[in-house]
Amino acid sequence: INAAVESINEMSVQIATAAEQQSSVAEEINQSVQRISHSIEETSQAADQVADASQELARLSAQLEGEVQHFKL
């Protein structure tokens, strides 16, 4: 009986250790997902800024082309 109880105690310790490790890994995964989410948000904002800058550049290009037309022979 003592051997069985000792075996059960050892298994309980192993289960507890494994559960702690899984919890730690789950927390690391959660933090990684949060960092990825933040990076995606920043990338999306940067893409919006690039799109806005591209539109402004296209507008300025068209304006400049119109101005240059005045000087063509």
Side-chain angles (χ1 to χ4, degrees), residues 38-58:
H38 182 71
S39 294
I40 289 170
E41 185 177 322
E42 288 179 340
T43 300
S44 176
Q45 290 173 356
D48 288 344
Q49 290 174 350
V50 168
D52 291 344
S54 294
Q55 288 176 350
E56 179 65 10
L57 185 58

Side-chain angles (χ1 to χ4, degrees), residues 9-72:
N9 284 338
E10 287 176 7
M11 286 189 271
S12 294
V13 169
Q14 290 175 350
I15 291 170
T17 300
E20 287 177 17
Q21 290 172 345
Q22 286 179 344
S23 178
S24 177
V25 169
E27 180 58 29
E28 288 177 16
I29 291 170
N30 182 47
Q31 290 174 1
S32 293
V33 168
Q34 288 178 356
R35 283 193 299 271
I36 290 168
S37 177
H38 182 71
S39 294
I40 289 170
E41 185 177 322
E42 288 179 340
T43 300
S44 176
Q45 290 173 356
D48 288 344
Q49 290 174 350
V50 168
D52 291 344
S54 294
Q55 288 176 350
E56 179 65 10
L57 185 58
R59 185 190 69 77
L60 290 172
S61 176
Q63 181 182 352
L64 182 59
E65 186 175 344
E67 296 294 327
V68 169
Q69 292 297 322
H70 296 294
F71 297 104
K72 286 192 176 177

